[in-house]
Amino acid sequence: MSMRFTPKARRGLVALAVVAGLALGTAACGGGGGGDDDKKPRSSSSTSKESGSQPSTQEGESEAPIAELKGPSGLLLQITTAVRDDGGFVTVNGSLKNDGGAMATIPSALSGNETEIMNNGRSLGGATLVDSKSKKRYYVLRDTEGRPLTTTGFSTLKAGESIDVFLQFPAPPASSTDVTFSLPLFPSAVIKISG
């Protein structure tokens, strides 16, 4: 008699284990989306994501450009900031966009005509800042190995594609806040230095 009940008992225990497992699984799934404990971590993680995106807005990524220059092949250079730093230099930030309908090859002329800069690949090394007040021209800074302190290593941009760019120059005197930014093949523009 105990032999007959053993298989039935086993099936009953297995069925009970399956039902209990499903109940626990359902409770875990249901509790994961609606419990107060789960809402708090999600809330704080979304808060940290929001906080993380706020500084990038302050860094100038979504600011209106202070200058917009149209170059060859549909290239558009938008300058968003020109900031005087404590180290005695000015950092110009912006974006270079292919505003045309076809792939654009970045002209080598943007690198300038200095052999040392040209040997380091495509860049914006040909850019200058002119301070008409003190009658001085400032060229893109270089590191100790002769590499220009600007965005480098790009040769083409697809239609509609844009890249963030930066350029660093020696800082004009503190009294000079308006300077003329020039880049080969682009028109010049007066920009205001902040900081």
Side-chain angles (χ1 to χ4, degrees), residues 2-194:
S2 64
M3 293 287 232
R4 286 187 199 173
F5 291 110
T6 304
K8 285 184 180 179
R10 282 187 188 154
R11 277 183 260 156
L13 286 174
V14 169
L16 181 62
V18 169
V19 169
L22 288 173
L24 286 174
T26 303
C29 290
D36 288 338
D37 292 336
D38 289 335
K39 282 185 180 175
K40 288 177 185 172
R42 285 186 184 164
S43 169
S44 65
S45 89
S46 67
T47 301
S48 66
K49 283 180 187 174
E50 289 171 12
S51 298
S53 66
Q54 287 174 351
S56 65
T57 302
Q58 294 172 353
E59 289 170 5
E61 288 181 14
S62 64
E63 292 182 26
I66 58 174
E68 201 169 82
L69 303 105
K70 293 184 180 186
S73 305
L75 293 175
L76 177 67
L77 177 64
Q78 293 181 318
I79 299 173
T80 52
T81 61
V83 180
R84 186 185 306 272
D85 296 307
D86 293 335
F89 53 89
V90 170
T91 302
V92 175
N93 290 297
S95 65
L96 182 64
K97 180 180 181 182
N98 177 358
D99 216 17
M103 181 173 287
T105 300
I106 306 301
S108 60
L110 300 187
S111 301
N113 57 9
E114 293 182 46
T115 306
E116 191 173 33
I117 289 180
M118 290 170 48
N119 288 339
N120 287 290
R122 298 277 166 90
S123 71
L124 301 177
T128 60
L129 291 181
V130 175
D131 175 15
S132 58
K133 189 174 181 180
S134 64
K135 296 185 168 95
K136 288 188 179 178
R137 180 184 308 264
Y138 299 92
Y139 293 89
V140 171
L141 290 168
R142 297 179 207 158
D143 66 13
T144 55
E145 296 172 5
R147 292 182 298 238
L149 297 182
T150 180
T151 305
T152 60
F154 53 93
S155 58
T156 60
L157 286 176
K158 297 174 187 169
E161 183 180 12
S162 68
I163 58 169
D164 292 333
V165 295
F166 80 96
L167 308 95
Q168 288 187 327
F169 300 91
S175 60
S176 298
T177 55
D178 293 339
V179 293
T180 302
F181 176 89
S182 295
L183 182 66
L185 307 178
F186 284 77
S188 298
V190 175
I191 60 174
K192 186 171 283 295
I193 298 173
S194 61

